[in-house]
Amino acid sequence: MKRAIFAICIGLCTAGATQALAADEPENVIKYRQAVMKAIGGHIGAIAGVVKGEVSYTGDVAAHARGIQEMSQLVSKLFPKGTDNGMHKNTRALPEIWQDWDKFGAAVKAFQDASADLVKIAEAGDPAAFGGGLKGLGTSCGGCHKPFRAEKK
Ligand code: HEC
């Protein structure tokens, strides 16, 4: 019994050590950031299905909106220096992000505000208002993608 517990401890401690040593290689940060963006896109897609009336899951919209709002708090950390598309092939992040970090910050803030608005609208529970909230949020995605994301090749 004692030995088993010891073995588990060793396993956990080693896992912890590996995490602590994760070096955040730019290529991996880029993959991580794209995964977060995809998660945001997934929630938007789900909300759009409700807004278009394709599905009746109006009660789920607040959960999706909260998911986006949580992700919106992570966004600025996803863009460390040295992860632009001039230096790496696997990203569409333009160097302009770092050349105009204040403008980028404003786009992040607009996104955070729009997602907070959508949470409020969704929690108020009137499906007729969901479309307006979604549109506002969609505008904030474009407000960053247009200046700061390269076209798909
Ligand atoms: C503050 C800037 C910013 C905001 C706001 C933003 N994005 Fe992005 N997004 C980016 C950048 C930059 C990329 C390219 C990332 C890369 O390729 O490394 C990206 C990539 C993506 C991708 C592609 C991910 C992949 O697999 O390559 C999706 C999907 C996406 N965004 C969805 C959204 C949606 C939906 C919203 C709004 C709800 C949003 N984004 C808001 C900057 C932003």
Side-chain angles (χ1 to χ4, degrees):
M1 184 60 191
K2 258 194 189 146
R3 205 184 287 165
I5 290 171
F6 185 66
I8 290 168
C9 176
I10 293 282
L12 288 178
C13 298
T14 332
T18 313
Q19 267 171 18
L21 290 174
D24 287 341
E25 292 296 339
E27 303 282 327
N28 293 329
V29 171
I30 289 166
K31 271 198 279 178
Y32 175 71
R33 141 172 108 209
Q34 291 168 342
V36 173
M37 281 291 164
K38 267 189 204 145
I40 295 170
H43 283 303
I44 284 270
I47 296 171
V50 174
V51 166
K52 285 187 213 153
E54 292 171 355
V55 290
S56 64
Y57 295 85
T58 48
D60 290 3
V61 170
H64 291 298
R66 282 192 293 266
I68 296 168
Q69 192 191 13
E70 293 259 345
M71 295 303 104
S72 77
Q73 300 300 316
L74 308 183
V75 167
S76 32
K77 281 190 304 191
L78 300 178
F79 294 90
K81 274 188 189 146
T83 61
D84 62 82
N85 74 343
M87 306 168 87
H88 302 278
K89 282 208 183 85
N90 64 333
T91 177
R92 290 162 67 196
L94 290 170
E96 279 77 359
I97 292 171
W98 295 273
Q99 287 158 11
D100 202 344
W101 187 253
D102 286 349
K103 187 177 161 199
F104 184 74
V108 173
K109 174 82 169 54
F111 171 45
Q112 290 169 339
D113 290 349
S115 59
D117 284 348
L118 184 63
V119 169
K120 269 194 218 132
I121 290 169
E123 286 180 347
D126 173 14
F130 292 173
L134 182 63
K135 198 164 171 242
L137 184 58
T139 303
S140 77
C141 314
C144 188
H145 289 164
K146 254 205 182 136
F148 295 121
R149 186 173 71 161
E151 296 292 326
K152 243 186 189 147
K153 277 186 197 137

